[in-house]
Amino acid sequence: MEIKELGHIVLYVRDLERSAGFYRDVLGWRQILPAPSSDGKLGDAPVAAFNASGGRTHHELLLIGVGEDAAAQPEGRRVGLYHFGLKVGTSDDELREALARVTESGTPLLGMSDHVVTHSLYIADPDGNEIELYVDVPGVDWESDAIDTPPRPLEL
């Protein structure tokens, strides 16, 4: 077997409308299922599907509402998902725009890192799932240029 690409991510969320709003309105994902109504309600099914503006596949993100009584993400070291990365552009200017957008929305900024091959912001969604927003550093060959270098603080 050979994996060709990462196809999609599925997340359980407590409040589907809140999380759909975050991924749609803050991060700019295109909601494809169900189509949001004029009143912002999602419909009867406890799911919402999204894809990026390029529309490369049927869906790249699926949210499944599980209710407010669902267990929280455990704190500290744990087994499971650490974060997922979303490329937001090709320049630090685009990363600055992303920073301004998440800051304006009140989204917690967890950190900023220069990984040599990428410049990254780390945020959390409404359920505490960590997301890396990043740009590739132009001119860096990630296969040979310092991919194992420890991250450094990033200043935008």
Side-chain angles (χ1 to χ4, degrees), residues 46-113:
V47 298
F50 302 82
N51 65 14
S53 60
R56 71 169 176 84
T57 188
H58 42 80
H59 74 286
E60 293 167 292
L61 174 67
L62 180 70
L63 305 177
I64 301 173
V66 294
E68 291 293 338
D69 60 344
Q73 295 277 354
E75 294 287 326
R77 292 173 51 110
R78 64 188 182 276
V79 173
L81 180 69
Y82 169 30
H83 71 264
F84 60 93
L86 301 173
K87 186 173 181 179
V88 297
T90 58
S91 71
D92 281 350
D93 285 340
E94 289 167 297
L95 195 59
R96 283 184 199 92
E97 290 172 16
L99 176 59
R101 186 167 183 160
V102 299
T103 300
E104 180 181 295
S105 74
T107 301
L109 179 64
L110 305 177
M112 298 174 29
S113 294

